[in-house]
């Protein structure tokens, strides 16, 4: 495994754990995509692309060979203007007003390891022996523009990461209009496209549709990766299932506006592109400057969607997330938001924390309302000073009192926002995103701070750091509750205004890097109205994300199932909340709510002081069960068993790496009359091992459990669930 180059044929062969990815330099100058599929054992590849002249409407690129047309060639990095009429990966506005560039191969390097991307999050290696990186240099001779294509192959995973760096080695200012991170031209279009779509409180639902001629696109223009679309798409062979068949995934390590699309051309070639959203984007590239695009993570699986997901889980859990919490257990928390909203004082907070300690919980999180004059959504964002009306002895004393109970103390922030009704806005009205002469739109009575500005970033770092240093804080929930409008910056000149949204994301990453580095012992959880910025870029800085503001157990089945397509359970915050549920007003059993929330980073979000003794006992049991299973759930292999998008039942399970332990849950949404007897077939077990099922004390071989399955008891009533723990005997 590694990267091999055939100098005679100008062919690069990239080998990951079970895959090959092949690039050929046609006529020694045109980078063409040849193959991405199951691993080819030989280093050399003997099958050239089949190039034939098609028709006069597909222009000839090289006069000496009429068989070569960019309109029909499967390209590695297409640019605009030379006869490729499909959407390009790169478009540049030149000083003469045209947008025609002609990038040709110049050189390459192959090195062990994986370099970091300047100013951007990316996957990484802990040893240079884990991966190899190919950099292919293309150049447009007219402008002196360089496109440095980067490919990293992980040796023990079916992963190839891609990115591109654009350098201006010419003498003129150039304007980048479109820079995608990856382009793959598949040789056919017999695929279904899978995407994760939704809205606030209904994030990352699975949608699948067949590819047809034309463009199938998902994107965000909101300034964030968004609730509506996740920066991920996959192509599935027509026979692909959860467990079998060829699947190709594309995931973007970026938290801003993005584009992911598949374009099927006249001859059935499917062009997949993913990267920064070109709409309302441009970047002025002066001589000597460079622009780094985000990383795209490409994963291939011949074991269906399940194999694809487990590869992403392993990579993102171990080589994207960082810090001491990457591999350590996450605490069970109680958050006061749905218990009190803004209406609390120090005594009430300590009552909830004390009740949590008595039930075995480990962390209390103080949510919105502790600062400024924050009695509702209307004020005080940006004024990160404790409210002495609610906390007379201050945040530090409250934190000390809670830690004295044996609980850790956590805090909510929304640092990227500002309320017009705040001291910060009155002092610095130009610090928010705005366009002079235009009214600024409000959402949740707040504006977005301009993180393209260094002074704003410095303020956030110092104000947040001051609070974190003032109290014994071990957890931070970092929220962001609106999208960008009136995107403009007071400090950027006119020709750079359309850089603002991307510069904001770069500023955000700088802020996060400085804060998490300064406070390495704090567990940071990202949030954006729940799952509005659940993306790989944020996981690089914060190893978990609040999955959704919707805490209803039945809605969470779809949300967490869809999220698992790309993201590991260790990245999902999941809480038990009160009933009737505050989002959909549904009443579900406490047991079921617990079983759903136990499939992520477990916690509670309700008033523990108002529980009955029976409810308290149930919670003690849930907490005890989760503590026994916590490391398995956070770091085991995840298998989806039954899909909530396909029927009335949902089931999933976790299996330890050594296959000695497993945990499965089954959910029935609605009860039916005289239902059939059902069996639940498990996955991922060792067929030769014997497992004791704690549910009934029975001992079963792994092959029985996977092929025959567990006989399920008939459940009475709606919204019921079962929990199964298996251990090797």
């Amino acid at each position: 495994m590694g990267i091999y180059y055939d100098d005679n044929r100008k062919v690069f062969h990239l080998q990951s754990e079970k895959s090959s990815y092949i690039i050929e330099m046609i006529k020694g100058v045109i980078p063409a995509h040849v193959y991405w599929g199951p691993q080819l054992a030989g280093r050399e590849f003997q099958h050239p692309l089949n190039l034939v002249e098609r028709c006069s409407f597909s222009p000839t690129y090289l006069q000496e060979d009429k068989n070569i047309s960019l309109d029909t060639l499967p390209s590695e990095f297409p640019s605009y203007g030379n006869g490729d009429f499909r959407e390009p990966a790169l478009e540049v506005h030149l000083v003469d007003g045209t947008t025609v560039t002609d990038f040709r191969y110049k050189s390459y390097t192959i090195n062990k390891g994986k370099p970091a991307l300047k100013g951007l999050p990316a996957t990484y290696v802990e040893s240079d022996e884990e991966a190899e990186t190919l950099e292919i240099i293309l150049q447009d001779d007219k402008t002196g523009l360089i496109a440095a294509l980067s490919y990293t192959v992980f040796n023990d995973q079916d992963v190839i990461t891609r990115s591109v760096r654009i350098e201006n080695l010419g003498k003129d200012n150039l304007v980048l209009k479109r820079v995608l991170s990856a382009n793959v031209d598949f040789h056919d279009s017999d695929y279904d496209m899978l995407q994760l779509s939704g809205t606030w409180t209904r994030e990352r639902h699975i949608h699948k549709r067949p590819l047809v001629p034309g463009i199938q696109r998902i994107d965000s223009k909101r300034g964030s990766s968004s609730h509506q679309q996740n920066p991920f798409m996959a192509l599935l062979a027509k026979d692909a299932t959860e467990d079998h068949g060829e699947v190709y995934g594309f995931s973007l390590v970026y938290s801003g506006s993005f584009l992911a699309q598949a374009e099927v051309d006249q001859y059935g070639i499917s062009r997949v592109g993913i990267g920064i959203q070109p709409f309302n984007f441009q970047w002025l590239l002066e001589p000597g400057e460079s622009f780094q695009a985000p990383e795209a993570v490409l994963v291939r699986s011949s074991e269906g969607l399940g194999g694809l997901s487990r590869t992403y889980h392993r990579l993102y859990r171990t080589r994207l997330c960082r810090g001491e919490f990457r591999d350590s257990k996450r605490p069970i928390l109680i958050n006061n938001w749905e218990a009190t909203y803004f209406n609390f004082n120090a005594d009430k907070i300590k009552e909830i924390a004390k009740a949590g300690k008595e039930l075995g919980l480990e962390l209390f999180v103080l949510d919105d309302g502790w600062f400024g004059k924050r009695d509702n959504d209307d004020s005080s964002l940006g004024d990160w000073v404790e409210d002495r009306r609610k906390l007379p002895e201050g945040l530090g004393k409250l934190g000390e009192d809670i830690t004295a109970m044996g609980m850790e103390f956590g805090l909510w922030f929304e640092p990227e926002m500002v309320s017009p009704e705040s001291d910060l806005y009155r002092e610095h009205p130009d610090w928010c995103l705005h366009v002079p002469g235009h009214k600024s739109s409000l959402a949740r009575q707040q504006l977005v701070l301009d993180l393209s500005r260094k002074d704003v970033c410095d303020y956030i770092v110092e104000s947040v750091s001051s609070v974190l240093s003032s109290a014994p804080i071990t957890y931070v929930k970092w929220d962001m509750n609106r999208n960008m409008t009136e995107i403009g910056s007071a400090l950027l000149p006119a020709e750079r205004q359309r850089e603002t949204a991307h510069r904001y994301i770069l500023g955000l990453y700088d802020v996060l890097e400085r804060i998490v580095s300064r406070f390495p012992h704090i567990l940071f959880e990202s949030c954006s109205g729940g799952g509005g910025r659940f993306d790989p870029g944020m996981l690089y800085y914060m190893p978990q994300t609040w999955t959704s503001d919707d805490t209803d157990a039945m809605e969470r089945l779809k949300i967490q199932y869809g999220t698992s397509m790309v993201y590991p359970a260790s990245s999902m915050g999941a809480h038990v909340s009160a009933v009737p549920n505050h989002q959909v007003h549904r009443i579900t059993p406490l047991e079921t709510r617990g079983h759903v929330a136990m499939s992520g980073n477990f916690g509670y979000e309700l008033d523990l002081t108002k529980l009955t003794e029976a409810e308290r006992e149930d919670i003690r049991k849930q907490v005890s069960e989760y503590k026994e299973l916590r490391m398995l759930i956070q770091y085991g292999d995840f298998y989806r068993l039954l899909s909530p998008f396909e029927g009335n039942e949902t089931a999933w399970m976790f299996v330890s790496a050594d296959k000695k332990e497993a945990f499965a849950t089954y959910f029935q949404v609605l009860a039916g009359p005289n239902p059939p007897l059902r069996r639940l077939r498990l996955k991922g077990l060792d067929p030769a091992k014997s497992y004791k099922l704690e549910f009934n004390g029975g001992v079963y071989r792994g092959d029985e459990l996977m092929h025959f399955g567990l006989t399920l008891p008939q459940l009475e009533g709606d919204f019921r669930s079962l929990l199964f723990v298996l251990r090797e005997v």
Side-chain angles (χ1 to χ4, degrees):
M1 290 172 286
I3 300 173
Y4 309 103
Y5 179 59
D6 181 346
D7 188 48
N8 292 326
R9 298 191 57 248
K10 299 293 187 292
V11 171
F12 296 94
H13 186 174
L14 289 65
Q15 286 184 340
S16 59
E17 183 186 32
K18 298 178 182 178
S19 300
S20 285
Y21 188 106
I22 295 174
I23 306 163
E24 179 181 356
M25 295 299 162
I26 305 298
K27 298 296 184 180
V29 295
I30 311 170
H33 179 74
V34 177
Y35 176 83
W36 184 23
Q39 188 184 97
L40 307 177
R43 295 185 178 185
E44 296 181 352
F45 182 74
Q46 304 299 328
H47 298 271
L49 281 174
N50 184 23
L51 303 175
V52 296
E53 184 179 7
R54 304 307 293 255
C55 71
S56 62
F57 289 96
S58 294
T60 300
Y61 177 67
L62 299 175
Q63 295 302 317
E64 64 271 22
D65 192 338
K66 294 183 178 181
N67 291 333
I68 299 176
S69 171
L70 299 186
D71 190 35
T72 59
L73 186 75
S75 177
E76 272 299 301
F77 194 71
S79 60
Y80 176 75
N82 296 290
D84 188 339
F85 299 105
R86 297 162 292 180
E87 293 211 350
L90 180 67
E91 184 179 2
V92 185
H93 190 182
L94 309 183
V95 69
D96 63 5
T98 67
T99 55
V100 177
T101 52
D102 184 11
F103 284 88
R104 301 194 179 196
Y105 170 70
K106 294 297 180 182
S107 63
Y108 78 95
T109 57
I110 299 175
N111 294 299
K112 289 187 176 296
K114 184 177 189 295
L117 299 185
K118 184 178 179 180
L120 288 166
T123 57
Y124 59 89
V125 295
E126 293 185 339
S127 165
D128 284 347
E129 301 306 312
E130 294 180 21
E132 287 190 353
T133 298
L134 164 67
E135 185 173 80
I136 297 175
I137 302 298
L138 311 177
Q139 184 167 10
D140 175 59
D141 290 335
K142 176 183 176 181
T143 61
L145 203 60
I146 292 288
L149 312 184
S150 178
Y151 302 77
T152 294
V153 176
F154 284 78
N155 295 327
D156 63 347
Q157 302 193 62
D158 268 334
V159 175
I160 297 173
T161 67
R162 289 189 58 178
S163 63
V164 58
R165 185 181 69 258
I166 306 299
E167 299 180 15
N168 186 357
L169 302 185
K171 299 178 180 179
D172 298 320
N173 289 348
L174 302 171
V175 177
L176 305 179
K177 307 286 286 186
R178 179 187 186 98
V179 187
L180 299 187
S181 298
N183 183 93
V184 178
D185 284 357
F186 290 81
H187 293 266
D188 63 344
S189 57
D190 198 19
Y191 300 99
D192 290 325
M193 174 177 162
L194 184 144
Q195 64 197 64
L196 304 177
S197 305
T199 185
W200 175 68
T201 67
R202 187 164 39 82
E203 299 92 339
R204 291 173 301 286
H205 282 206
I206 296 171
H207 296 270
K208 188 171 71 170
R209 50 179 161 154
L211 293 187
V212 297
I215 296 174
Q216 291 97 124
R217 169 181 294 168
I218 59 170
D219 67 358
S220 169
K221 305 178 185 73
R222 295 171 173 265
S224 70
S225 48
S226 83
H227 298 85
Q228 288 70 25
Q229 306 288 356
N230 197 260
F232 164 81
M233 63 172 287
L235 294 190
L236 288 59
K238 290 297 185 180
D239 62 348
T241 66
E242 178 67 26
D243 302 303
H244 306 285
E246 291 288 306
V247 181
Y248 300 85
F250 300 81
S251 175
L252 188 65
V253 187
Y254 188 61
S255 306
S257 298
F258 75 93
L259 169 71
Q261 67 180 32
E263 179 180 7
V264 178
D265 75 359
Q266 58 193 327
Y267 296 113
I269 291 178
S270 303
R271 168 166 293 179
V272 174
I274 189 168
I276 293 174
Q277 170 64 261
F279 178 82
N280 201 40
F281 165 85
Q282 68 180 34
W283 195 272
L284 176 61
L285 200 63
E286 296 181 352
E289 291 185 340
S290 64
F291 178 86
Q292 176 64 59
E295 178 173 88
V297 179
L298 281 56
V299 170
R300 188 202 69 87
S301 168
S302 59
E303 299 172 355
L305 286 167
L308 182 89
S309 297
R310 285 185 288 278
T311 298
Y312 273 118
H313 294 176
R314 180 184 173 195
L315 180 73
Y316 285 176
R317 188 174 62 236
T318 65
R319 292 298 181 267
L320 178 66
C321 294
R322 302 177 297 161
E324 64 180 64
F325 290 96
R326 185 191 77 176
D327 302 320
S328 61
K329 64 182 180 182
R330 312 284 172 80
I332 305 172
L333 64 83
I334 172 64
N335 182 299
N336 72 293
W337 179 240
E338 290 194 13
T340 67
Y341 293 103
F342 296 103
N343 184 26
F344 61 83
N345 56 33
D347 290 339
K348 179 61 178 178
I349 293 303
K350 286 188 280 189
E351 287 178 9
I352 296 175
K354 181 181 178 182
K357 174 61 179 176
E358 292 172 352
L359 297 174
L361 278 63
E362 301 160 328
L363 165 67
F364 176 84
V365 179
L366 178 59
D367 212 284
D368 195 356
W370 59 267
F371 56 93
K373 298 176 181 178
R374 185 78 164 171
D375 296 326
N376 50 45
D377 292 344
D378 294 343
S379 74
S380 301
L381 287 175
D383 297 343
W384 300 110
V385 179
E386 62 211 19
D387 183 353
R388 291 280 178 158
R389 298 172 305 155
K390 298 179 182 179
L391 309 176
E393 297 182 281
L395 197 62
K397 181 62 166 63
L398 176 64
E400 291 169 1
D401 290 346
I402 289 176
T403 56
M405 299 176 189
M407 293 276 279
E408 295 182 56
F409 181 55
L411 199 61
W412 177 96
F413 284 92
E414 193 172 1
E416 300 165 60
M417 302 291 149
V418 63
S419 302
E421 181 56 41
S422 67
D423 292 338
L424 180 65
Y425 184 78
R426 284 186 283 269
E427 185 176 352
H428 298 287
D430 62 325
W431 274 18
C432 63
L433 295 177
H434 70 285
V435 176
H438 286 266
K439 176 183 67 68
S440 293
S441 304
L442 293 177
R444 204 175 181 241
Q445 297 302 309
Q446 61 196 56
L447 299 168
V448 183
L449 287 172
D450 181 3
L451 270 67
S452 73
R453 298 175 54 143
K454 186 177 185 303
D455 52 355
V456 173
C457 292
D458 289 344
Y459 170 79
I460 293 175
V461 171
E462 295 310 315
S463 61
V464 171
S465 296
S466 176
V467 175
L468 297 181
S469 300
S470 71
I473 296 168
T474 60
Y475 166 99
V476 165
K477 180 180 178 182
W478 184 291
D479 210 343
M480 189 279 284
N481 279 312
R482 65 155 292 179
N483 293 138
M484 296 181 188
T485 57
E486 294 81 43
I487 302 175
S489 174
L491 294 189
L492 291 176
E495 63 271 19
R496 290 192 179 273
Q497 283 297 323
R498 293 177 73 176
E499 300 175 9
T500 303
H502 180 59
R503 287 186 180 273
Y504 177 102
I505 298 298
L506 296 178
L508 171 63
Y509 290 153
D510 172 65
V511 166
L512 297 180
E513 182 66 33
R514 285 195 273 167
I515 290 178
V516 301
S517 298
R518 190 177 294 187
F519 299 96
H521 303 305
I522 292 179
L523 170 59
F524 288 85
E525 178 177 89
S526 67
C527 177
S528 176
R533 207 163 58 183
F534 202 134
D535 59 65
M538 294 303 293
L539 290 181
Y540 183 76
Y541 305 97
M542 303 181 177
Q544 62 187 57
T545 300
W546 179 226
T547 312
S548 176
D549 278 350
D550 191 340
T551 55
D552 173 68
M554 295 300 101
E555 288 299 312
R556 272 299 188 107
L557 292 177
K558 290 184 176 180
I559 293 169
Q560 292 176 206
Y561 191 98
T563 302
S564 76
M565 282 291 159
V566 192
Y567 305 102
S570 62
S571 69
M572 295 187 219
H575 298 173
V576 175
S577 61
V579 292
N581 175 263
H582 290 196
Q583 290 78 47
V584 301
H585 311 290
R586 181 183 285 125
I587 296 175
T588 53
L590 179 57
E591 180 181 52
T592 301
R593 284 176 275 155
H595 290 168
V596 175
M598 287 171 68
S599 299
N601 293 309
F602 190 43
Y604 292 83
E605 194 160 327
L606 43 75
D607 192 342
L608 297 176
T609 67
K610 296 181 178 180
L611 300 176
T612 66
E613 187 53 44
E615 290 171 330
R616 290 168 59 83
E617 188 56 38
D618 286 343
I619 288 179
R620 286 192 186 95
K621 179 182 177 183
Q622 288 176 355
V623 170
S624 177
E625 284 178 330
Y626 187 77
K627 287 179 178 178
E628 289 188 14
L629 298 168
R630 173 162 37 191
M631 297 305 285
L632 169 62
I633 293 167
Q634 290 180 2
Y635 304 109
D637 292 328
F638 182 78
Y639 293 85
R640 293 179 292 266
L641 306 180
L642 296 171
S643 171
F645 298 98
E646 297 177 1
N648 190 50
E649 305 165 293
T650 302
W652 52 57
M653 66 182 294
F654 301 84
V655 181
S656 62
D658 59 11
K659 300 188 181 299
K660 293 183 177 181
E661 186 179 26
F663 159 69
T665 49
Y666 167 86
F667 305 94
Q668 172 183 280
V669 178
L670 298 177
N674 194 23
L677 299 178
R678 299 189 182 279
R679 296 199 304 267
L680 180 66
R681 293 182 178 88
L682 305 186
K683 299 177 184 178
L685 302 175
D686 186 332
K689 290 185 184 296
S690 293
Y691 296 89
K692 182 177 181 180
L693 178 64
E694 292 188 1
F695 183 79
N696 60 11
V699 176
Y700 309 92
R701 283 176 53 87
D703 53 1
E704 293 178 46
L705 294 168
M706 291 189 290
H707 300 307
F708 180 82
L710 287 172
T711 299
L712 297 174
Q714 290 193 349
L715 297 176
E716 296 181 358
D718 298 336
F719 319 132
R720 297 296 307 281
S721 63
L722 297 168
L723 180 150
F724 304 100
V725 177
L726 302 98
R727 292 189 171 91
E728 181 188 12
V729 295

